[in-house]
Amino acid sequence: MKNLSTFFLLFFCFMIAMTTACNDEECITTVWYQDADQDGLGDSNVSQESCEQPDGFVSNNTDEDDSVADVPSLHAAFEAFDQESFNIYLDGSDVVIETDGLPNHNSPYWSDGHPLDIEPTVTSYASMAPGFIDDFNGSYTLTVPTVPSLASNSTATGLGPIGFAISGSMIYNDEEGPGIPIDNALPSLDFTAGHTGPQSYHYHLEPHAWSTDDDKLIGIISDGFFIYGRKCHSTGNYPTDLDASGGHISTTQHNTDGEYHYHIQNEAYAGQYYIIFPGDYQGTPNAIQ
Ligand SMILES: [Zn+2]
Ligand SMILES: [Zn+2]
């Protein structure tokens, strides 16, 4: 009898586990706002709470008239993206973001003789990863909705680029290879926590070339949400209401209505580093090609 009841218990757990909504992670209710005109902006006066995103509802609540679709426009934050590396334009209700992948700052990873090449300080020639930044002069494209929405379920980040930094280069997560934590690669990171990899120059940690313990814009994650430094412009201090991905809804220096955005989490890693974005994506990730 005991074995039989154990069997039924296991079977029951298995069935529960098969339905993703009832997984180990508890259901997190989100407030969803009606988007009658389908412009990605929701009506703050018409809302409902649920775990799954209801049809016709979005996480945004800044639509002042939900009967007339707002004309898509480029987010003010894109003005902070490096003008030389980036080409950013609207395509219907999407934003196409193209970059050559080259950072707009000094690094020992530039080839000898390049005007931005410097001697290594934090790393050393012996510890540096193979390849120069200029080896990767290419084309990387990310297309996101002009108004991204939170997803019903979060998605784990993977290897390779997970977003674009405003410098022109790529944002990576906290892994250096399949199952290899970034620990192994720490000695190869330059003063701004960047190094070369098989595909591009990229950052894993708080990029000191332009952000150290502040609220600066870091870049855009592939789900369309912007990521800022460890502090939030809304309070001038470390946010205390972050979700598991370091995200929250508040005003920013680029949006006085308030919107969902990520922060570099203010938890020291290996005693002195701050990982930019280990994940998960709270929106729907788009491919970086
Ligand atoms: Zn790396
Ligand atoms: Zn914030």
Side-chain angles (χ1 to χ4, degrees):
M1 271 316 267
K2 200 174 170 204
N3 281 345
L4 197 63
S5 55
T6 306
F7 170 79
F8 277 115
L9 186 65
L10 284 173
F11 182 72
F12 182 67
C13 291
F14 173 73
M15 292 306 288
I16 294 281
M18 291 304 285
T19 60
T20 48
C22 298
N23 224 329
D24 280 346
E25 321 150 25
E26 71 274 33
C27 146
I28 298 162
T29 50
T30 306
V31 185
W32 304 97
Y33 302 91
Q34 190 170 40
D35 178 21
D37 57 9
Q38 300 186 332
D39 60 0
L41 304 173
D43 181 348
S44 60
N45 297 316
V46 187
S47 66
Q48 54 174 277
E49 281 186 45
S50 62
C51 297
E52 300 283 327
Q53 182 174 8
D55 275 352
F57 283 71
V58 294
S59 59
N60 175 286
N61 67 351
T62 62
D63 203 343
E64 273 154 27
D65 182 351
D66 197 29
S67 61
V68 182
D70 282 43
V71 178
S73 59
L74 271 188
H75 197 290
F78 286 119
E79 283 168 29
F81 284 62
D82 184 68
Q83 301 287 310
E84 218 168 292
S85 281
F86 282 100
N87 182 27
I88 302 171
Y89 56 91
L90 289 168
D91 179 14
S93 59
D94 288 335
V95 191
V96 181
I97 310 160
E98 298 170 346
T99 176
D100 59 13
L102 303 179
N104 58 1
H105 56 70
N106 293 335
S107 170
Y109 278 101
W110 287 103
S111 61
D112 289 344
H114 190 282
L116 292 173
D117 185 39
I118 53 169
E119 292 285 312
T121 48
V122 172
T123 181
S124 66
Y125 285 121
S127 307
M128 282 168 61
F132 295 116
I133 290 171
D134 5 354
D135 296 342
F136 302 102
N137 189 356
S139 167
Y140 308 84
T141 305
L142 168 65
T143 303
V144 299
T146 47
V147 184
S149 221
L150 290 167
S152 300
N153 296 297
S154 60
T155 309
T157 58
L159 296 173
I162 59 166
F164 291 161
I166 63 167
S167 67
S169 294
M170 306 290 122
I171 297 172
Y172 275 42
N173 70 5
D174 55 346
E175 286 184 310
E176 183 54 17
I180 304 171
I182 185 60
D183 304 48
N184 303 39
L186 287 176
S188 73
L189 297 176
D190 65 15
F191 76 100
T192 188
H195 65 178
T196 48
Q199 296 149 314
S200 59
Y201 179 77
H202 58 266
Y203 314 96
H204 290 275
L205 310 170
E206 185 177 58
H208 290 172
W210 72 93
S211 174
T212 306
D213 193 20
D214 54 31
D215 66 0
K216 298 273 174 58
L217 179 65
I218 305 302
I220 188 166
I221 299 298
S222 71
D223 57 9
F225 293 117
F226 294 101
I227 182 162
Y228 290 86
R230 286 187 267 148
K231 291 180 177 167
C232 188
H233 185 264
S234 61
T235 58
N237 217 325
Y238 309 112
T240 54
D241 58 346
L242 299 178
D243 61 24
S245 303
H248 71 159
I249 295 174
S250 81
T251 61
T252 68
Q253 54 269 57
H254 303 110
N255 186 343
T256 51
D257 287 332
E259 66 180 18
Y260 186 84
H261 57 276
Y262 299 114
H263 285 279
I264 295 178
Q265 282 161 300
N266 190 36
E267 284 165 31
Y269 171 77
Q272 53 177 317
Y273 304 107
Y274 297 89
I275 293 167
I276 296 185
F277 189 73
D280 295 346
Y281 301 107
Q282 293 295 329
T284 306
N286 299 283
I288 291 176
Q289 292 162 323

